[in-house]
Amino acid sequence: MAEPKTKYDRQLRIWGEQGQAALEKASICLLNCGPTGSETLKNLVLGGVGSITVIDGSKVEVSDLGNNFMVDESSVGQSKAKCVCAFLQELNDAVKAKFIEEHPEALIETNPSFFSQFTLVVATQLVEDSMVKLDKICREANVKLIFARSYGLTGFVRVSVKEHTVIESKPDHFLDDLRLNNPWPELKSFAETIDLNVADPVAHKHTPYVIILVKMAEEWAKTHGGSLPSTRDEKKQFKELLKAGMVATDEENYKEAIEASFKVFAPRGISLDLQQIISDSCTEVDSNSSQFWVMLAALKKIYQAKAEADYLVIEQRVKNILKKIGRDPDGISKTMIKSFCKNARKLKVCRYRLLEDEFSNPSLPQLQKYLTDEDYSVAMGFYILLRAVDRFTANYNSFPGQFDGEMDEDISRLKTTAVGLLSDLGCNGSPLTEDLINEMCRFGASELHAVAAFIGGVASQEVIKLITRQFVPISGTFIFNGIDHKSQLLAL
């Protein structure tokens, strides 16, 4: 047991043993193992994912040696899936790896049930028609899906799952609720046993900062009609009151209290986001409800102050609900319920549109806003053109700019295709610049390693979020603009 802990020490500090265990149980399917797919899988193999299956029906060509580090000169002419799988296996022998020499498009058409065996599918370099079909297949099988594609100096990543619930959302900025402005009875009683004016300097220095804030807030309220500091001047006065309580300049507990004084002024109650989740129709649970919604149903019925009391009450209610809906009362572990209680104020529910719905019926106001907004117009232009090149390919059996001597004609064809696409979406005229259209043709559907590595890094990060159920996955389509070195999310 010591070896894995040493091996994965750095990541264990981020997502813990529970997150790592989820990774080690996960089975990942990769469609197409060009540089984008290989870079995505490389990060997951190094992270200790349970098993990988590489699907690719192509052979290694000389051109692959310039952008894919998972093949070498001896690989030329051999199965790309086999070679990439072997190289990935060398990175971490604890990961089970296998490959299938078949084109993903054929598998999507002829054997859709194949994908139901996986925890998550990473689909790279697919054209729009195959993406739409795979999206429906994975949704029906309840398999998580991530699309990733690099195309010259641009690329995208998009998560596609019906619903994803997050307990450990780990927001960058979050105000802890220490109940400093409304202490529960036990905390209040404990604070009353401590004298802030104690003569012993050692005891004074070791009074917990939370107790200092509770007592000072109570003292303030007594002289201000029961209210706490609210204006800028009042907050400043409250900090001065804390500072005046210091006996010596090296009292770290008082410094902590001054730095954390803003927590006293925090509004009471739960956030609007959490209120919306609690009011969600999914809290009306049945035998098909996920563990998340069963625990949410329990939380909806009670919201108490003490963490341990919360846990015991929630645990009992969870058991009762599970029994009522005909499931094992012990079907949700104590560890899971404790984590749920601990993070109850940070819960997140992510829902993603079906890809076909986004493609055929995007939000027109949002679409027009992105196209005309100077900050988003290039990212939106790439989004439209990435879709347009797939239409182009369907019509002309090649990507624009893929063959020498056809550049001028391809530029004209791509522009016409893009204008037609925009018209179908309800946008008349083409706000796309000539330069951007020219660039897309110049890319010639190439996968540049630097771009593929970046897109693969983003995709693998989202895979880890989905599998560990920690942090919040991206919502919308992530577009990378390698020309201006910008990354943006488009919500359509």
Side-chain angles (χ1 to χ4, degrees), residues 273-294:
D273 281 352
L274 183 55
Q275 287 178 39
Q276 288 175 343
I277 294 174
I278 290 173
S279 302
D280 196 288
S281 60
C282 288
T283 54
E284 301 302 320
V285 295
D286 57 32
S287 59
N288 296 316
S289 297
S290 68
Q291 293 184 350
F292 179 90
W293 290 114
V294 172

Side-chain angles (χ1 to χ4, degrees), residues 9-16 168 170 470-471:
D9 176 64
R10 292 174 68 185
Q11 61 202 51
L12 281 166
R13 300 183 194 192
I14 299 172
W15 52 70
E168 297 183 60
K170 300 183 179 179
Q470 295 183 29
F471 303 96

Side-chain angles (χ1 to χ4, degrees), residues 28-33 37-38 40-41 53-56 84 122-124:
I28 306 293
C29 175
L30 172 70
L31 303 186
N32 291 317
C33 57
S38 297
T40 304
L41 219 48
T53 301
V54 180
I55 314 289
D56 196 311
V84 168
V122 179
T124 68

Side-chain angles (χ1 to χ4, degrees), residues 179 184 299 302-314:
R179 306 297 170 90
W184 61 87
L299 177 66
I302 193 161
Y303 189 85
Q304 294 182 337
K306 298 168 291 188
E308 188 58 31
D310 273 354
Y311 163 69
L312 292 172
V313 174
I314 294 292

Side-chain angles (χ1 to χ4, degrees), residues 186-257:
E186 289 84 351
L187 177 59
K188 194 171 183 179
S189 298
F190 178 62
E192 288 170 357
T193 65
I194 296 176
D195 182 8
L196 293 185
N197 299 314
V198 65
D200 183 356
V202 176
H204 195 267
K205 190 184 291 187
H206 286 84
T207 303
Y209 87 88
V210 169
I211 299 301
I212 296 170
L213 288 173
V214 168
K215 292 183 76 70
M216 288 297 195
E218 188 178 14
E219 185 179 325
W220 175 281
K222 284 178 182 176
T223 57
H224 291 79
S227 63
L228 290 168
S230 57
T231 66
R232 187 174 180 179
D233 285 341
E234 286 178 340
K235 291 173 183 179
K236 188 176 179 182
Q237 289 172 32
F238 185 75
K239 287 185 178 182
E240 292 299 326
L241 185 66
L242 290 169
K243 200 176 289 183
M246 296 176 71
V247 173
T249 57
D250 64 341
E251 291 186 312
E252 294 297 328
N253 55 340
Y254 273 82
K255 290 178 183 177
E256 278 185 299

Side-chain angles (χ1 to χ4, degrees), residues 481-492:
N481 169 5
I483 297 173
D484 300 320
H485 305 103
K486 289 175 72 175
S487 301
Q488 288 169 303
L489 271 175
L490 303 177
L492 296 166

